[in-house]
Amino acid sequence: MSYVPIGPIHPGLKEPLRIKLKTEGERVVDAEVDLGYFYRGAEQLARGKPWQKVAYLAERVCGICSDAHPHTLIEGLERIVDCEPPLRAQFSRVIMGELNRIHSHLIANAIWFLAVEHETLGIYNLNTREKVMDLLEMISGNRVLYSWNIVGGVRMDFKESHLKKILDNLAEVESEVYRYRKMFKTGALLGLRSKDIGKMTKEEAIEVRAVGPTARGSGIKFDWRTKHPTYVDHFDFKPIWRDECDNYARVMMRFDEILESIKIVKKAVDELPDGPIRKECEIPRGSVDYRYEAPRGELAYIFETAKHGIIKEITIRTPTIMNLEACVRYMFKDSPTIADAIAIYQTIDPCIACTERVVIVDENGNRQDFRGVHTVLRNLKPFKSKKKDR
Amino acid sequence: MIKEFIRKRSIHVCLVCTGGCNGCDIEVAALLSQRYDLEQYGIYYHNNPRESDALLVTGTVAKQWQEKLVEFYNKVPEPKAVVAIGACALSGGIFQQESDKVGAPVSDVIPVDAEVPGCPPRPAEIAIAVLKYVPPTLASYRRKI
């Protein structure tokens, strides 16, 4: 029995995190994760600030899903006032959200391929991602942080040339992703590194509350986009899921989701309605619990506002905290080698910057700098959609 | 002599993120793609401090890092250079509102040779900063002896 510490800075990791593996020979029997290298206190900074400031702060909780965070916050604020943005703004949000998802999934797969030392596919994926980043930069003016959403609509409008460029670039991305998918599916060495490694059954995934592609790779057929009003009313969205429950399923899931996202963006661009992009809204006092499917899974913003949209309490729950638990408790179990343990860790697409906001617990179990979640869960408003039975 | 000459053309870098938003880190990762092709310029990206010539530091220096970053800096063999990337590393950025949470800027903790502003800076800017300021820093160490 020996212990192998990995991190906080390690060639296999991109973000600071300490994993302590308990091994018998090369086989991993137990694991422990030590977080805390990224704590900035975003939630405490948000308290007492107007929503205009908090939107920028939410964007900087995570730089990779930097559309999902403000998207969730702002749609949550719209639930309080019951203000539905114009249709063109809703479609713009869908386009931006899905482009963000495509680039996030591409970098996640790229880092997985680099983790198993398949540099060809890793670099190919990164190169394809640049085409999506070009689109994001062209639309919003920045490569990483977009500041796209605002209460009542979006900040900028598309031009005709933008829409044409989106379709052109996505056609290239689609053909390339089909190619990489085939390379991954038929590659013999990739199969050895991915199939039957990092198993997590459906029951285990439900027990640890895994979310997002990690859960859908284990056969859970759930996606928050199936409950999002715009997707329900205008896009015929079906969640993608696989039942292999291993590394292969999770990497393949991301490729499939990229293709599905490309379909959604194409449909949104084709059917983009004319009209205004923004509507006036005043944020009153209220509280809300709003969830959205970020690239990594369910993202929850639970918050309470005072008059004029000042944020009184806010709790952000990000997907990686659950997926990390799933990874440590079930996926590392019986990992054949230590190299595979790093590959398994990368398949959950960890985003430590998202995760580290939360609680400081001292030895006696006292919580510091954290005011409870449950005080906020009052008078919730249900989502509204034109279709019934949701 | 020859070592000094070669070192300027093969810079090994180590990325340390000390608690930002990950935006700068993915821009460094984007440098690996064919479009920027970092290795063509003689920069090799690996996260091993004991073999590296230059540290790329991103992020507000979070509480856990304030002592560890110094230890980490000491592990890098001489001569060494430090490039601070992004608004968070230069000033604390948006997180520098409650002063006890973050220890930014990085230059308070370890000596910094080059600074790349931006939230986040573009990948090309990072590559230019490394290519322009790291070789002179490595060379000037030689002259001191």
Side-chain angles (χ1 to χ4, degrees), chain B residues 102-114:
Chain B
V102 295
V106 174
S107 54
D108 283 3
V109 187
I110 53 174
V112 171
D113 299 304

Side-chain angles (χ1 to χ4, degrees), chain A residues 289-347:
Chain A
D289 174 356
Y290 188 74
R291 278 139 211 260
Y292 173 73
E293 185 77 18
R296 286 165 184 73
E298 175 194 317
L299 174 65
Y301 267 67
I302 306 159
F303 58 90
E304 195 174 342
T305 53
K307 238 189 233 174
H308 309 304
I310 289 172
I311 305 287
K312 242 167 103 181
E313 284 282 350
I314 186 161
T315 303
I316 309 168
R317 197 182 71 163
T318 51
T320 308
I321 193 76
M322 275 89 78
N323 287 345
L324 206 57
E325 171 115 20
C327 176
V328 170
R329 212 190 279 180
Y330 292 115
M331 291 181 201
F332 278 154
K333 181 185 65 188
D334 287 339
S335 156
T337 62
I338 292 164
D340 278 328
I342 292 170
I344 290 166
Y345 168 73
Q346 296 295 359
T347 52

Side-chain angles (χ1 to χ4, degrees), chain B residues 25-90:
Chain B
D25 308 324
I26 58 168
E27 292 296 68
V28 175
L31 278 172
L32 296 173
S33 68
Q34 288 155 332
R35 179 178 292 183
Y36 300 104
D37 207 0
L38 202 62
E39 291 180 13
Q40 201 175 23
Y41 301 110
I43 305 172
Y44 182 56
Y45 170 82
H46 65 160
N47 275 9
N48 192 347
R50 290 188 196 277
E51 288 178 41
S52 54
D53 301 315
L55 282 181
L56 308 182
V57 186
T58 67
T60 66
V61 185
K63 244 180 192 173
Q64 292 247 11
W65 274 107
Q66 284 170 12
E67 287 167 10
K68 281 199 177 115
L69 192 58
V70 181
E71 284 173 27
F72 200 79
Y73 178 75
N74 292 336
K75 279 179 189 169
V76 182
E78 293 281 359
K80 56 194 166 191
V82 178
V83 184
I85 296 171
C88 289
L90 302 195

Side-chain angles (χ1 to χ4, degrees), chain A residues 245-290:
Chain A
C245 311
D246 51 5
N247 278 3
Y248 178 81
R250 288 187 283 275
V251 176
M252 208 53 159
M253 264 300 306
R254 297 216 168 82
F255 279 133
D256 290 346
E257 282 204 1
I258 291 166
L259 296 172
E260 183 71 26
S261 292
I262 290 172
K263 258 184 235 162
I264 293 171
V265 176
K266 278 183 176 168
K267 190 159 188 282
V269 169
D270 287 339
E271 297 174 6
L272 189 66
D274 289 329
I277 54 160
R278 207 175 151 184
K279 191 172 131 187
E280 204 175 316
C281 290
E282 177 83 18
I283 310 292
R285 192 175 289 155
S287 65
V288 77
D289 174 356
Y290 188 74

